[in-house]
């Protein structure tokens, strides 16, 4: 267990770890998109319901703008989102069987879009559990590279030699029911070099490459 999980990050209330989880969950979407954000629709479940001037709502918005948990701009995130030109909205929903702090995201950038479900699971930690219907687990425990592709097995085979020298890694695939979303997920405790990302993007059949950074 890391120290953060015991004392949480330095943030404003009502619950610093709860607010940190909201920011980090949205920031995960910002990182997975890995290109300019053009539109975002958030379906809020349970305790993440819409509240006027709610700190959790501010944090959810801030993460989509790329703000980290200690960024002073979080308190002004709604105004900054309005100024950004991003088509943004959120509303309350009920998601059967979901964690109480769950958000379903509808994200679109310049050339890529996706729908994802994630939750703030306590202590400032998060888990993204579904992208376009493909089941996977993206958390703050690892640095992750998400490779969206036409054929996950072929991409996995091509990716293995490229990351052979990367220590403490794992590779797995996630495919939705109809095969329309196929992902190879690379996880490692070590930083993922930009040069590796560039080589992965150049592989045949790769549609998009997203990232997610390990929490310090």
């Amino acid at each position: 267990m890391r120290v953060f999980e015991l004392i949480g990050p330095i943030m404003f209330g009502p619950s610093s770890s709860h607010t940190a989880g909201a920011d980090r969950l949205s920031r995960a979407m910002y990182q997975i998109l890995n290109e300019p954000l053009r539109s975002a629709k958030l379906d809020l479940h349970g305790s993440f319901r819409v509240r006027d001037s709610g700190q959790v709502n501010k944090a959810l918005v801030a993460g989509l703008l790329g703000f980290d948990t200690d960024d002073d701009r979080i308190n002004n995130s709604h105004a900054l989102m309005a100024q950004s030109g991003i088509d943004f909205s959120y509303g309350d929903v009920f998601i059967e069987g979901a964690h109480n702090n769950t958000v379903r995201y509808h994200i679109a950038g310049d050339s890529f879009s996706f729908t994802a479900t994630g939750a703030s699971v306590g202590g400032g930690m998060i888990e993204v559990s579904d992208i376009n219907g493909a089941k996977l687990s993206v958390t703050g425990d690892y640095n992750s590279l998400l490779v969206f592709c036409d054929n996950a097995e072929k991409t996995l085979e091509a990716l293995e030699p490229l990351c052979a020298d990367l220590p403490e890694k794992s590779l797995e695939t996630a495919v939705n029911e109809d095969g329309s979303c196929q992902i190879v997920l690379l996880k490692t405790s070590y930083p993922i070099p930009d040069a590796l990302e560039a080589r992965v993007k150049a592989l045949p059949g790769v549609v998009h490459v997203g990232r997610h950074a390990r929490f310090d």
Side-chain angles (χ1 to χ4, degrees):
M1 179 177 286
R2 297 196 293 273
V3 173
F4 173 87
E5 296 176 55
L6 296 174
I7 64 174
I10 299 172
M11 285 197 67
F12 49 82
S15 164
S16 62
S17 63
H18 195 54
T19 309
D23 174 85
R24 286 173 163 178
L25 188 58
S26 284
R27 195 161 183 263
M29 303 303 149
Y30 170 86
Q31 293 179 333
I32 293 169
L33 181 61
N34 205 18
E35 65 180 34
L37 177 64
R38 299 307 180 196
S39 70
K41 178 179 177 290
L42 280 57
D43 299 329
L44 309 184
H45 168 83
S47 69
F48 274 9
R49 64 188 180 277
V50 176
R51 297 179 176 90
D52 291 339
S53 302
Q55 299 288 25
V56 168
N57 291 163
K58 290 179 182 179
L60 287 170
V61 174
L64 290 174
L65 295 171
F67 302 165
D68 210 341
T69 55
D70 59 352
D71 197 309
D72 291 338
R73 293 173 294 176
I74 288 176
N75 271 314
N76 198 35
S77 62
H78 283 90
L80 294 172
M81 176 63 80
Q83 295 167 14
S84 70
I86 296 168
D87 181 9
F88 172 79
S89 64
Y90 57 20
D92 297 333
V93 300
F94 174 76
I95 303 174
E96 183 72 35
H99 188 284
N100 195 45
N101 308 327
T102 293
V103 184
R104 182 185 292 123
Y105 292 85
H106 308 269
I107 300 293
D110 284 336
S111 61
F112 186 71
S113 62
F114 64 92
T115 297
T117 304
S120 171
V121 296
M125 302 304 289
I126 68 163
E127 182 179 30
V128 179
S129 57
D130 176 294
I131 299 179
N132 290 342
K135 305 301 182 184
L136 74 177
S137 179
V138 177
T139 70
D141 294 319
Y142 303 94
N143 292 304
S144 300
L145 202 67
L146 297 91
V147 185
F148 296 79
C149 54
D150 295 332
N151 187 306
E153 292 301 328
K154 288 183 178 180
T155 300
L156 177 64
E157 291 178 5
L159 181 55
E160 284 178 330
L162 295 183
C163 61
D165 296 331
L166 194 63
E168 297 184 20
K169 66 179 178 296
S170 67
L171 285 164
E172 59 193 70
T173 61
V175 181
N176 65 1
E177 287 189 3
D178 65 5
S180 61
C181 179
Q182 304 201 28
I183 303 169
V184 178
L185 178 59
L186 166 65
K187 298 179 181 179
T188 175
S189 299
Y190 286 77
I192 297 173
D194 291 341
L196 174 59
E197 179 183 343
R199 294 181 70 186
V200 172
K201 285 180 176 179
L203 290 175
V206 169
V207 176
H208 176 77
V209 177
R211 301 184 72 133
H212 184 251
R214 182 179 186 267
F215 301 153
D216 294 330

